[in-house]
Amino acid sequence: MEDLIVLNNLRKVYRMGDEKIIALDNVSLSIRKEEFICLLGTSGSGKSTLLNMMAGLEKPTKGEITIGKYPIHKMNERDVTKFRQKYVGFVFQSYNLIPTLSALENVSLGLTFQGIPKAKREKMAKQMLIDVGLEKRLHHKPSEMSGGQQQRVSIARAFVGKPQIVFADEPTGNLDTRTTLEIMNLITGMAYEFKQTLIIVTHDVEIADYAHRVVYLRDGHIEKITENENIIKGAVN
C-alpha cells in the first residue's frame, strides 16, 4: 500500500514571552493509505500537536507535510480549508457540536460547504445517523443527548462525506469504558467499510489495540513505533 501522508523533519516551537517551548522536534513519519495509526503518549508529549500539523490546523516551524499530492506546509489558509472540506473528517473529545442545531442539522452542515443540495445532504445525514444508531435522535439537540450519543453525532458528521482521512483526537476521553468500546468499534468499523486512513490520538493503551501501528511520543520526539499483530477490528452496528 502506497504512502498517503509523509512527514519530514517536523519541528514546532511555541514562544511564551522569553520562553521557547519545543512541542515537536524533527519528527518524520509515513502513513499508508487505509492504515490505522495511533499516536500514543502522555499529556505534553506532542501527539495532539502532531495531529494538528497533519490536519493543517497549525503550521510547522520547520519541516514538510505532504498528503497525496498536496504540500500542506506550503498551502495558505484558504487552500488548506478547501482541502479539509474535501478530504478530511474530525472526531473530537469534546464533540464540538453546535448546541442550537439538531443532530440532523449538525451532520448535514459540513456537506453545505461541498455544494451538495439540501435534500441530498439531509438524506445523507439521516442515513449516517441511522448507521450510528441514532434513528430516534435525529431532531434532538446536543443538550438532549448523552455523551455517548453526542459522540455518535460527531462520528456521523466526520464520516458522512466519506473523507479519505479521519483524524480523531481523544475521541473517547469523556466516555466510560463500555461506551468507549462501542465508539471505537464504530469508528474503526466505518473506516474499514469506507477504506479510509484513520489517525487516533490517545493516552489510553487499550485504544492502541485497534491500530495497525502505534507511534509512541515523548517530549516532542517519536520514542518508538510498534506494529500490532492482533488488531481489534471494529464493526458498524
Side-chain angles (χ1 to χ4, degrees):
M1 196 70 70
E2 64 181 291
D3 289 337
L4 176 63
I5 303 173
V6 178
L7 313 177
N8 185 31
N9 294 326
L10 279 192
R11 181 176 171 86
K12 180 64 177 180
V13 179
Y14 297 102
R15 294 190 179 276
M16 298 181 65
D18 295 331
E19 187 178 3
K20 184 169 69 173
I21 300 171
I22 300 174
L24 292 175
D25 193 15
N26 295 324
V27 170
S28 296
L29 177 68
S30 295
I31 300 172
R32 298 182 290 273
K33 284 185 176 180
E34 299 179 34
E35 186 175 22
F36 298 176
I37 291 287
C38 177
L39 304 178
L40 186 68
T42 58
S43 178
S45 62
K47 58 187 187 299
S48 290
T49 300
L50 182 56
L51 181 142
N52 289 340
M53 295 286 164
M54 286 189 272
L57 297 172
E58 293 188 52
K59 289 285 188 183
T61 305
K62 290 183 180 179
E64 300 174 344
I65 307 162
T66 304
I67 300 180
K69 63 181 180 180
Y70 297 95
I72 302 299
H73 60 288
K74 291 182 179 180
M75 293 164 62
N76 61 38
E77 185 58 37
R78 180 183 176 185
D79 290 340
V80 171
T81 299
K82 287 183 178 180
F83 171 83
R84 284 197 298 265
Q85 290 172 352
K86 188 173 182 180
Y87 295 107
V88 175
F90 291 96
V91 182
F92 300 97
Q93 177 179 350
S94 56
Y95 321 134
N96 285 18
L97 302 176
I98 298 175
T100 56
L101 300 184
S102 67
L104 187 66
E105 291 167 334
N106 265 286
V107 175
S108 63
L109 181 62
L111 299 173
T112 305
F113 303 113
Q114 297 182 22
I116 297 173
K118 183 178 180 180
K120 183 176 180 180
R121 65 177 183 258
E122 287 186 352
K123 182 179 179 180
M124 291 169 65
K126 180 179 179 180
Q127 185 58 55
M128 186 58 64
L129 285 165
I130 291 171
D131 289 346
V132 301
L134 292 177
E135 62 272 10
K136 296 181 180 179
R137 295 287 188 270
L138 300 179
H139 303 291
H140 286 63
K141 294 180 179 178
S143 62
E144 300 170 319
M145 292 182 282
S146 68
Q149 289 169 340
Q150 290 183 64
Q151 192 59 298
R152 285 175 180 262
V153 176
S154 176
I155 291 165
R157 180 184 59 192
F159 282 90
V160 67
K162 295 183 175 57
Q164 193 170 4
I165 305 165
V166 174
F167 293 107
D169 193 355
E170 297 279 8
T172 61
N174 290 335
L175 306 175
D176 59 43
T177 301
R178 178 181 174 182
T179 309
T180 289
L181 295 177
E182 292 175 356
I183 292 300
M184 283 306 303
N185 286 331
L186 186 57
I187 290 174
T188 56
M190 294 182 79
Y192 274 113
E193 181 179 349
F194 301 143
K195 300 185 184 302
Q196 293 160 311
T197 301
L198 176 64
I199 296 99
I200 297 179
V201 162
T202 187
H203 63 273
D204 187 344
V205 293
E206 293 186 6
I207 300 298
D209 291 338
Y210 288 85
H212 294 114
R213 288 190 294 159
V214 183
V215 179
Y216 293 83
L217 285 112
R218 182 187 294 271
D219 298 329
H221 296 273
I222 293 179
E223 190 174 40
K224 63 179 178 178
I225 301 176
T226 62
E227 295 198 19
N228 276 338
E229 295 182 0
N230 300 307
I231 300 169
I232 299 175
K233 288 195 174 183
V236 180
N237 294 336

Tab-separated table of all heavy atoms in Angstrom, residues 126-183:
chain	number	residue	atom	x	y	z
A	126	LYS	N	-29.249	11.819	7.418
A	126	LYS	CA	-30.209	10.931	8.074
A	126	LYS	C	-29.722	9.491	8.029
A	126	LYS	O	-29.762	8.777	9.044
A	126	LYS	CB	-31.574	11.044	7.401
A	126	LYS	CG	-32.633	10.157	8.032
A	126	LYS	CD	-33.986	10.329	7.345
A	126	LYS	CE	-35.035	9.418	7.964
A	126	LYS	NZ	-36.361	9.588	7.298
A	127	GLN	N	-29.237	9.049	6.865
A	127	GLN	CA	-28.761	7.676	6.740
A	127	GLN	C	-27.555	7.424	7.630
A	127	GLN	O	-27.438	6.364	8.255
A	127	GLN	CB	-28.417	7.360	5.281
A	127	GLN	CG	-28.025	5.907	5.049
A	127	GLN	CD	-29.108	4.939	5.478
A	127	GLN	OE1	-30.252	5.040	5.026
A	127	GLN	NE2	-28.775	4.004	6.371
A	128	MET	N	-26.657	8.407	7.722
A	128	MET	CA	-25.465	8.233	8.550
A	128	MET	C	-25.840	8.152	10.027
A	128	MET	O	-25.278	7.350	10.784
A	128	MET	CB	-24.479	9.378	8.308
A	128	MET	CG	-23.141	9.217	9.006
A	128	MET	SD	-22.252	7.693	8.566
A	128	MET	CE	-21.947	7.955	6.823
A	129	LEU	N	-26.801	8.951	10.457
A	129	LEU	CA	-27.254	8.892	11.844
A	129	LEU	C	-27.942	7.559	12.142
A	129	LEU	O	-27.798	7.010	13.235
A	129	LEU	CB	-28.193	10.060	12.139
A	129	LEU	CG	-27.492	11.419	12.310
A	129	LEU	CD1	-28.493	12.568	12.231
A	129	LEU	CD2	-26.728	11.471	13.627
A	130	ILE	N	-28.656	7.039	11.177
A	130	ILE	CA	-29.248	5.707	11.333
A	130	ILE	C	-28.139	4.667	11.472
A	130	ILE	O	-28.203	3.766	12.319
A	130	ILE	CB	-30.167	5.374	10.141
A	130	ILE	CG1	-31.425	6.256	10.175
A	130	ILE	CG2	-30.560	3.892	10.147
A	130	ILE	CD1	-32.295	6.151	8.938
A	131	ASP	N	-27.090	4.814	10.661
A	131	ASP	CA	-25.967	3.866	10.690
A	131	ASP	C	-25.257	3.847	12.040
A	131	ASP	O	-24.715	2.814	12.442
A	131	ASP	CB	-24.957	4.204	9.583
A	131	ASP	CG	-25.486	3.898	8.183
A	131	ASP	OD1	-26.503	3.181	8.080
A	131	ASP	OD2	-24.885	4.382	7.204
A	132	VAL	N	-25.232	4.992	12.729
A	132	VAL	CA	-24.562	5.039	14.037
A	132	VAL	C	-25.546	4.816	15.189
A	132	VAL	O	-25.213	5.027	16.353
A	132	VAL	CB	-23.783	6.363	14.242
A	132	VAL	CG1	-22.737	6.542	13.157
A	132	VAL	CG2	-24.724	7.573	14.298
A	133	GLY	N	-26.761	4.392	14.852
A	133	GLY	CA	-27.718	4.006	15.881
A	133	GLY	C	-28.537	5.121	16.486
A	133	GLY	O	-29.035	4.993	17.604
A	134	LEU	N	-28.688	6.237	15.760
A	134	LEU	CA	-29.406	7.393	16.314
A	134	LEU	C	-30.671	7.726	15.523
A	134	LEU	O	-31.058	8.904	15.430
A	134	LEU	CB	-28.480	8.612	16.355
A	134	LEU	CG	-27.305	8.550	17.332
A	134	LEU	CD1	-26.446	9.799	17.212
A	134	LEU	CD2	-27.792	8.371	18.769
A	135	GLU	N	-31.319	6.710	14.984
A	135	GLU	CA	-32.529	6.979	14.184
A	135	GLU	C	-33.640	7.638	15.002
A	135	GLU	O	-34.504	8.316	14.448
A	135	GLU	CB	-33.044	5.687	13.548
A	135	GLU	CG	-33.468	4.608	14.534
A	135	GLU	CD	-32.332	3.702	14.965
A	135	GLU	OE1	-31.156	4.013	14.661
A	135	GLU	OE2	-32.604	2.691	15.616
A	136	LYS	N	-33.608	7.488	16.340
A	136	LYS	CA	-34.628	8.094	17.191
A	136	LYS	C	-34.179	9.436	17.775
A	136	LYS	O	-34.870	10.016	18.617
A	136	LYS	CB	-34.995	7.138	18.322
A	136	LYS	CG	-35.644	5.844	17.842
A	136	LYS	CD	-36.014	4.951	19.010
A	136	LYS	CE	-36.674	3.655	18.524
A	136	LYS	NZ	-37.036	2.748	19.653
A	137	ARG	N	-33.005	9.908	17.354
A	137	ARG	CA	-32.471	11.158	17.901
A	137	ARG	C	-32.189	12.193	16.799
A	137	ARG	O	-31.464	13.148	17.026
A	137	ARG	CB	-31.150	10.876	18.651
A	137	ARG	CG	-31.309	10.008	19.892
A	137	ARG	CD	-31.952	10.791	21.019
A	137	ARG	NE	-31.958	10.064	22.283
A	137	ARG	CZ	-32.932	9.254	22.673
A	137	ARG	NH1	-33.968	9.052	21.866
A	137	ARG	NH2	-32.887	8.644	23.834
A	138	LEU	N	-32.783	12.020	15.645
A	138	LEU	CA	-32.490	12.899	14.506
A	138	LEU	C	-32.732	14.370	14.814
A	138	LEU	O	-31.965	15.235	14.380
A	138	LEU	CB	-33.337	12.501	13.289
A	138	LEU	CG	-33.156	11.087	12.740
A	138	LEU	CD1	-34.099	10.864	11.556
A	138	LEU	CD2	-31.713	10.854	12.307
A	139	HIS	N	-33.793	14.657	15.569
A	139	HIS	CA	-34.181	16.051	15.795
A	139	HIS	C	-33.880	16.524	17.221
A	139	HIS	O	-34.356	17.580	17.642
A	139	HIS	CB	-35.665	16.223	15.455
A	139	HIS	CG	-35.989	15.812	14.050
A	139	HIS	ND1	-35.560	16.521	12.944
A	139	HIS	CD2	-36.669	14.727	13.562
A	139	HIS	CE1	-35.975	15.915	11.846
A	139	HIS	NE2	-36.644	14.830	12.178
A	140	HIS	N	-33.074	15.741	17.934
A	140	HIS	CA	-32.655	16.138	19.275
A	140	HIS	C	-31.427	17.055	19.191
A	140	HIS	O	-30.550	16.860	18.347
A	140	HIS	CB	-32.305	14.916	20.119
A	140	HIS	CG	-33.505	14.140	20.574
A	140	HIS	ND1	-34.363	13.526	19.703
A	140	HIS	CD2	-33.986	13.890	21.820
A	140	HIS	CE1	-35.331	12.916	20.390
A	140	HIS	NE2	-35.127	13.127	21.673
A	141	LYS	N	-31.358	18.013	20.092
A	141	LYS	CA	-30.190	18.881	20.201
A	141	LYS	C	-29.176	18.251	21.158
A	141	LYS	O	-29.528	17.363	21.939
A	141	LYS	CB	-30.610	20.278	20.675
A	141	LYS	CG	-31.467	21.003	19.639
A	141	LYS	CD	-31.871	22.383	20.108
A	141	LYS	CE	-32.708	23.085	19.037
A	141	LYS	NZ	-33.158	24.429	19.468
A	142	PRO	N	-27.919	18.676	21.106
A	142	PRO	CA	-26.890	18.073	21.957
A	142	PRO	C	-27.253	17.994	23.437
A	142	PRO	O	-26.966	16.995	24.100
A	142	PRO	CB	-25.677	18.985	21.723
A	142	PRO	CG	-25.861	19.467	20.326
A	142	PRO	CD	-27.345	19.652	20.162
A	143	SER	N	-27.910	19.026	23.970
A	143	SER	CA	-28.265	19.037	25.390
A	143	SER	C	-29.298	17.972	25.749
A	143	SER	O	-29.504	17.669	26.928
A	143	SER	CB	-28.803	20.416	25.786
A	143	SER	OG	-29.986	20.722	25.053
A	144	GLU	N	-29.932	17.408	24.745
A	144	GLU	CA	-30.957	16.384	24.956
A	144	GLU	C	-30.407	14.973	24.763
A	144	GLU	O	-31.175	14.009	24.746
A	144	GLU	CB	-32.125	16.623	23.995
A	144	GLU	CG	-32.790	17.975	24.181
A	144	GLU	CD	-33.782	18.318	23.081
A	144	GLU	OE1	-33.494	18.042	21.904
A	144	GLU	OE2	-34.847	18.866	23.409
A	145	MET	N	-29.075	14.870	24.622
A	145	MET	CA	-28.443	13.576	24.375
A	145	MET	C	-27.340	13.304	25.387
A	145	MET	O	-26.752	14.232	25.954
A	145	MET	CB	-27.872	13.529	22.951
A	145	MET	CG	-28.940	13.541	21.863
A	145	MET	SD	-28.247	13.419	20.200
A	145	MET	CE	-27.677	15.103	19.963
A	146	SER	N	-27.042	12.028	25.609
A	146	SER	CA	-25.933	11.638	26.479
A	146	SER	C	-24.602	11.906	25.789
A	146	SER	O	-24.556	12.193	24.588
A	146	SER	CB	-26.044	10.143	26.812
A	146	SER	OG	-25.806	9.365	25.640
A	147	GLY	N	-23.505	11.778	26.551
A	147	GLY	CA	-22.183	11.971	25.967
A	147	GLY	C	-21.911	10.991	24.834
A	147	GLY	O	-21.370	11.358	23.784
A	148	GLY	N	-22.293	9.732	25.040
A	148	GLY	CA	-22.085	8.735	24.005
A	148	GLY	C	-22.876	9.032	22.751
A	148	GLY	O	-22.383	8.854	21.623
A	149	GLN	N	-24.106	9.512	22.928
A	149	GLN	CA	-24.926	9.871	21.765
A	149	GLN	C	-24.357	11.081	21.035
A	149	GLN	O	-24.336	11.124	19.798
A	149	GLN	CB	-26.364	10.136	22.226
A	149	GLN	CG	-27.102	8.889	22.662
A	149	GLN	CD	-28.418	9.195	23.350
A	149	GLN	OE1	-28.646	10.304	23.846
A	149	GLN	NE2	-29.308	8.213	23.391
A	150	GLN	N	-23.868	12.062	21.796
A	150	GLN	CA	-23.255	13.236	21.161
A	150	GLN	C	-22.018	12.833	20.357
A	150	GLN	O	-21.784	13.350	19.264
A	150	GLN	CB	-22.879	14.269	22.223
A	150	GLN	CG	-24.067	14.953	22.863
A	150	GLN	CD	-23.637	16.018	23.847
A	150	GLN	OE1	-23.021	17.019	23.478
A	150	GLN	NE2	-23.963	15.821	25.114
A	151	GLN	N	-21.250	11.872	20.900
A	151	GLN	CA	-20.066	11.448	20.161
A	151	GLN	C	-20.454	10.681	18.896
A	151	GLN	O	-19.773	10.767	17.875
A	151	GLN	CB	-19.147	10.601	21.047
A	151	GLN	CG	-17.751	10.358	20.468
A	151	GLN	CD	-16.974	11.639	20.197
A	151	GLN	OE1	-17.380	12.474	19.378
A	151	GLN	NE2	-15.856	11.797	20.870
A	152	ARG	N	-21.568	9.971	18.932
A	152	ARG	CA	-22.062	9.296	17.728
A	152	ARG	C	-22.473	10.322	16.660
A	152	ARG	O	-22.253	10.096	15.475
A	152	ARG	CB	-23.241	8.376	18.076
A	152	ARG	CG	-22.809	7.081	18.773
A	152	ARG	CD	-23.994	6.245	19.224
A	152	ARG	NE	-23.535	5.033	19.885
A	152	ARG	CZ	-23.431	3.834	19.300
A	152	ARG	NH1	-23.779	3.695	18.024
A	152	ARG	NH2	-22.994	2.790	19.969
A	153	VAL	N	-23.051	11.435	17.093
A	153	VAL	CA	-23.364	12.512	16.149
A	153	VAL	C	-22.068	13.058	15.549
A	153	VAL	O	-21.966	13.290	14.336
A	153	VAL	CB	-24.149	13.647	16.837
A	153	VAL	CG1	-24.382	14.805	15.855
A	153	VAL	CG2	-25.479	13.136	17.371
A	154	SER	N	-21.063	13.244	16.406
A	154	SER	CA	-19.758	13.733	15.942
A	154	SER	C	-19.137	12.774	14.924
A	154	SER	O	-18.570	13.201	13.919
A	154	SER	CB	-18.826	13.909	17.141
A	154	SER	OG	-17.532	14.282	16.740
A	155	ILE	N	-19.275	11.480	15.182
A	155	ILE	CA	-18.750	10.469	14.256
A	155	ILE	C	-19.515	10.514	12.940
A	155	ILE	O	-18.920	10.472	11.849
A	155	ILE	CB	-18.834	9.069	14.896
A	155	ILE	CG1	-17.835	8.968	16.048
A	155	ILE	CG2	-18.560	7.971	13.861
A	155	ILE	CD1	-18.082	7.784	16.960
A	156	ALA	N	-20.842	10.614	13.022
A	156	ALA	CA	-21.651	10.712	11.805
A	156	ALA	C	-21.241	11.926	10.984
A	156	ALA	O	-21.136	11.858	9.749
A	156	ALA	CB	-23.133	10.790	12.174
A	157	ARG	N	-20.988	13.039	11.660
A	157	ARG	CA	-20.558	14.259	10.963
A	157	ARG	C	-19.208	14.059	10.279
A	157	ARG	O	-18.993	14.508	9.145
A	157	ARG	CB	-20.461	15.414	11.973
A	157	ARG	CG	-20.024	16.740	11.389
A	157	ARG	CD	-19.863	17.782	12.473
A	157	ARG	NE	-18.886	17.367	13.478
A	157	ARG	CZ	-18.710	17.969	14.644
A	157	ARG	NH1	-19.451	19.008	14.966
A	157	ARG	NH2	-17.811	17.532	15.495
A	158	ALA	N	-18.301	13.361	10.942
A	158	ALA	CA	-16.962	13.137	10.387
A	158	ALA	C	-16.990	12.217	9.175
A	158	ALA	O	-16.226	12.401	8.228
A	158	ALA	CB	-16.041	12.556	11.460
A	159	PHE	N	-17.889	11.227	9.191
A	159	PHE	CA	-17.881	10.201	8.153
A	159	PHE	C	-18.887	10.434	7.032
A	159	PHE	O	-18.806	9.780	5.995
A	159	PHE	CB	-18.143	8.829	8.788
A	159	PHE	CG	-16.965	8.226	9.485
A	159	PHE	CD1	-16.740	8.481	10.837
A	159	PHE	CD2	-16.061	7.420	8.806
A	159	PHE	CE1	-15.650	7.934	11.490
A	159	PHE	CE2	-14.967	6.875	9.461
A	159	PHE	CZ	-14.751	7.124	10.799
A	160	VAL	N	-19.826	11.366	7.204
A	160	VAL	CA	-20.929	11.496	6.253
A	160	VAL	C	-20.456	11.793	4.830
A	160	VAL	O	-21.040	11.311	3.856
A	160	VAL	CB	-21.944	12.559	6.734
A	160	VAL	CG1	-21.338	13.965	6.707
A	160	VAL	CG2	-23.225	12.483	5.914
A	161	GLY	N	-19.398	12.564	4.691
A	161	GLY	CA	-18.883	12.887	3.365
A	161	GLY	C	-17.897	11.872	2.830
A	161	GLY	O	-17.322	12.062	1.758
A	162	LYS	N	-17.714	10.768	3.577
A	162	LYS	CA	-16.759	9.698	3.224
A	162	LYS	C	-15.376	10.272	2.861
A	162	LYS	O	-14.859	10.059	1.768
A	162	LYS	CB	-17.307	8.838	2.093
A	162	LYS	CG	-18.561	8.061	2.515
A	162	LYS	CD	-19.059	7.166	1.413
A	162	LYS	CE	-20.233	6.298	1.905
A	162	LYS	NZ	-21.375	7.067	2.431
A	163	PRO	N	-14.774	11.015	3.812
A	163	PRO	CA	-13.467	11.615	3.552
A	163	PRO	C	-12.375	10.556	3.444
A	163	PRO	O	-12.539	9.435	3.935
A	163	PRO	CB	-13.235	12.502	4.782
A	163	PRO	CG	-14.003	11.809	5.865
A	163	PRO	CD	-15.223	11.272	5.192
A	164	GLN	N	-11.284	10.917	2.814
A	164	GLN	CA	-10.170	9.989	2.654
A	164	GLN	C	-9.455	9.737	3.976
A	164	GLN	O	-8.951	8.644	4.226
A	164	GLN	CB	-9.186	10.556	1.614
A	164	GLN	CG	-8.162	9.557	1.120
A	164	GLN	CD	-7.371	10.094	-0.065
A	164	GLN	OE1	-7.540	11.245	-0.472
A	164	GLN	NE2	-6.506	9.276	-0.624
A	165	ILE	N	-9.430	10.752	4.840
A	165	ILE	CA	-8.713	10.683	6.116
A	165	ILE	C	-9.634	11.125	7.245
A	165	ILE	O	-10.371	12.106	7.109
A	165	ILE	CB	-7.473	11.605	6.103
A	165	ILE	CG1	-6.563	11.289	4.920
A	165	ILE	CG2	-6.693	11.488	7.414
A	165	ILE	CD1	-5.537	12.369	4.654
A	166	VAL	N	-9.580	10.407	8.372
A	166	VAL	CA	-10.303	10.823	9.574
A	166	VAL	C	-9.293	10.983	10.708
A	166	VAL	O	-8.520	10.073	11.005
A	166	VAL	CB	-11.386	9.809	9.978
A	166	VAL	CG1	-12.018	10.212	11.311
A	166	VAL	CG2	-12.459	9.711	8.895
A	167	PHE	N	-9.288	12.165	11.318
A	167	PHE	CA	-8.460	12.452	12.478
A	167	PHE	C	-9.349	12.408	13.718
A	167	PHE	O	-10.395	13.064	13.763
A	167	PHE	CB	-7.820	13.831	12.374
A	167	PHE	CG	-6.806	13.965	11.275
A	167	PHE	CD1	-7.095	14.692	10.126
A	167	PHE	CD2	-5.563	13.356	11.384
A	167	PHE	CE1	-6.157	14.829	9.115
A	167	PHE	CE2	-4.618	13.476	10.375
A	167	PHE	CZ	-4.912	14.208	9.232
A	168	ALA	N	-8.937	11.648	14.721
A	168	ALA	CA	-9.709	11.541	15.959
A	168	ALA	C	-8.807	11.893	17.139
A	168	ALA	O	-7.847	11.174	17.430
A	168	ALA	CB	-10.269	10.126	16.114
A	169	ASP	N	-9.124	12.998	17.806
A	169	ASP	CA	-8.298	13.488	18.914
A	169	ASP	C	-8.977	13.137	20.239
A	169	ASP	O	-9.975	13.749	20.615
A	169	ASP	CB	-8.112	14.999	18.802
A	169	ASP	CG	-7.026	15.522	19.731
A	169	ASP	OD1	-6.486	14.727	20.535
A	169	ASP	OD2	-6.715	16.718	19.664
A	170	GLU	N	-8.445	12.126	20.929
A	170	GLU	CA	-9.006	11.642	22.199
A	170	GLU	C	-10.521	11.439	22.074
A	170	GLU	O	-11.304	11.978	22.872
A	170	GLU	CB	-8.697	12.623	23.337
A	170	GLU	CG	-7.214	12.808	23.632
A	170	GLU	CD	-6.635	11.687	24.497
A	170	GLU	OE1	-7.341	10.693	24.742
A	170	GLU	OE2	-5.462	11.803	24.900
A	171	PRO	N	-10.978	10.655	21.093
A	171	PRO	CA	-12.419	10.551	20.835
A	171	PRO	C	-13.217	9.904	21.953
A	171	PRO	O	-14.444	10.036	22.001
A	171	PRO	CB	-12.484	9.701	19.569
A	171	PRO	CG	-11.231	8.870	19.612
A	171	PRO	CD	-10.195	9.789	20.207
A	172	THR	N	-12.544	9.193	22.870
A	172	THR	CA	-13.261	8.536	23.971
A	172	THR	C	-12.875	9.113	25.329
A	172	THR	O	-13.201	8.535	26.365
A	172	THR	CB	-12.963	7.025	23.963
A	172	THR	OG1	-11.554	6.819	24.154
A	172	THR	CG2	-13.380	6.387	22.649
A	173	GLY	N	-12.210	10.255	25.331
A	173	GLY	CA	-11.690	10.824	26.571
A	173	GLY	C	-12.744	11.166	27.606
A	173	GLY	O	-12.456	11.164	28.801
A	174	ASN	N	-13.970	11.477	27.165
A	174	ASN	CA	-15.034	11.857	28.095
A	174	ASN	C	-16.045	10.739	28.339
A	174	ASN	O	-17.120	10.988	28.899
A	174	ASN	CB	-15.790	13.091	27.563
A	174	ASN	CG	-14.942	14.347	27.614
A	174	ASN	OD1	-14.015	14.457	28.410
A	174	ASN	ND2	-15.245	15.296	26.746
A	175	LEU	N	-15.705	9.513	27.921
A	175	LEU	CA	-16.681	8.423	27.950
A	175	LEU	C	-16.287	7.322	28.933
A	175	LEU	O	-15.110	7.130	29.230
A	175	LEU	CB	-16.827	7.820	26.546
A	175	LEU	CG	-17.167	8.819	25.424
A	175	LEU	CD1	-17.170	8.105	24.077
A	175	LEU	CD2	-18.498	9.503	25.687
A	176	ASP	N	-17.284	6.581	29.422
A	176	ASP	CA	-16.999	5.447	30.296
A	176	ASP	C	-16.478	4.263	29.477
A	176	ASP	O	-16.470	4.306	28.238
A	176	ASP	CB	-18.237	5.054	31.101
A	176	ASP	CG	-19.429	4.675	30.227
A	176	ASP	OD1	-19.249	3.958	29.221
A	176	ASP	OD2	-20.563	5.094	30.540
A	177	THR	N	-16.047	3.213	30.172
A	177	THR	CA	-15.390	2.095	29.495
A	177	THR	C	-16.295	1.420	28.471
A	177	THR	O	-15.867	1.140	27.334
A	177	THR	CB	-14.927	1.049	30.536
A	177	THR	OG1	-14.035	1.686	31.454
A	177	THR	CG2	-14.207	-0.104	29.852
A	178	ARG	N	-17.526	1.144	28.836
A	178	ARG	CA	-18.438	0.464	27.908
A	178	ARG	C	-18.684	1.304	26.660
A	178	ARG	O	-18.626	0.800	25.528
A	178	ARG	CB	-19.767	0.171	28.617
A	178	ARG	CG	-20.796	-0.488	27.714
A	178	ARG	CD	-22.102	-0.735	28.445
A	178	ARG	NE	-23.125	-1.240	27.542
A	178	ARG	CZ	-24.376	-1.502	27.898
A	178	ARG	NH1	-24.765	-1.322	29.147
A	178	ARG	NH2	-25.252	-1.953	27.008
A	179	THR	N	-18.947	2.603	26.854
A	179	THR	CA	-19.210	3.478	25.713
A	179	THR	C	-17.953	3.657	24.871
A	179	THR	O	-18.032	3.775	23.642
A	179	THR	CB	-19.738	4.845	26.195
A	179	THR	OG1	-20.823	4.640	27.099
A	179	THR	CG2	-20.215	5.685	25.039
A	180	THR	N	-16.784	3.662	25.520
A	180	THR	CA	-15.518	3.766	24.803
A	180	THR	C	-15.372	2.637	23.790
A	180	THR	O	-15.011	2.860	22.620
A	180	THR	CB	-14.332	3.731	25.790
A	180	THR	OG1	-14.301	4.957	26.525
A	180	THR	CG2	-12.997	3.559	25.060
A	181	LEU	N	-15.659	1.412	24.211
A	181	LEU	CA	-15.555	0.263	23.306
A	181	LEU	C	-16.561	0.375	22.164
A	181	LEU	O	-16.243	0.068	21.008
A	181	LEU	CB	-15.761	-1.034	24.085
A	181	LEU	CG	-14.705	-1.353	25.142
A	181	LEU	CD1	-15.071	-2.627	25.900
A	181	LEU	CD2	-13.327	-1.492	24.508
A	182	GLU	N	-17.770	0.815	22.472
A	182	GLU	CA	-18.780	0.992	21.435
A	182	GLU	C	-18.329	2.020	20.394
A	182	GLU	O	-18.461	1.800	19.185
A	182	GLU	CB	-20.110	1.443	22.061
A	182	GLU	CG	-20.794	0.388	22.926
A	182	GLU	CD	-22.035	0.928	23.600
A	182	GLU	OE1	-22.314	2.141	23.457
A	182	GLU	OE2	-22.741	0.142	24.269
A	183	ILE	N	-17.797	3.130	20.876
A	183	ILE	CA	-17.370	4.203	19.975
A	183	ILE	C	-16.168	3.764	19.133
A	183	ILE	O	-16.110	4.032	17.925
A	183	ILE	CB	-17.036	5.482	20.776
A	183	ILE	CG1	-18.318	6.060	21.398
A	183	ILE	CG2	-16.329	6.507	19.898
A	183	ILE	CD1	-19.400	6.443	20.412
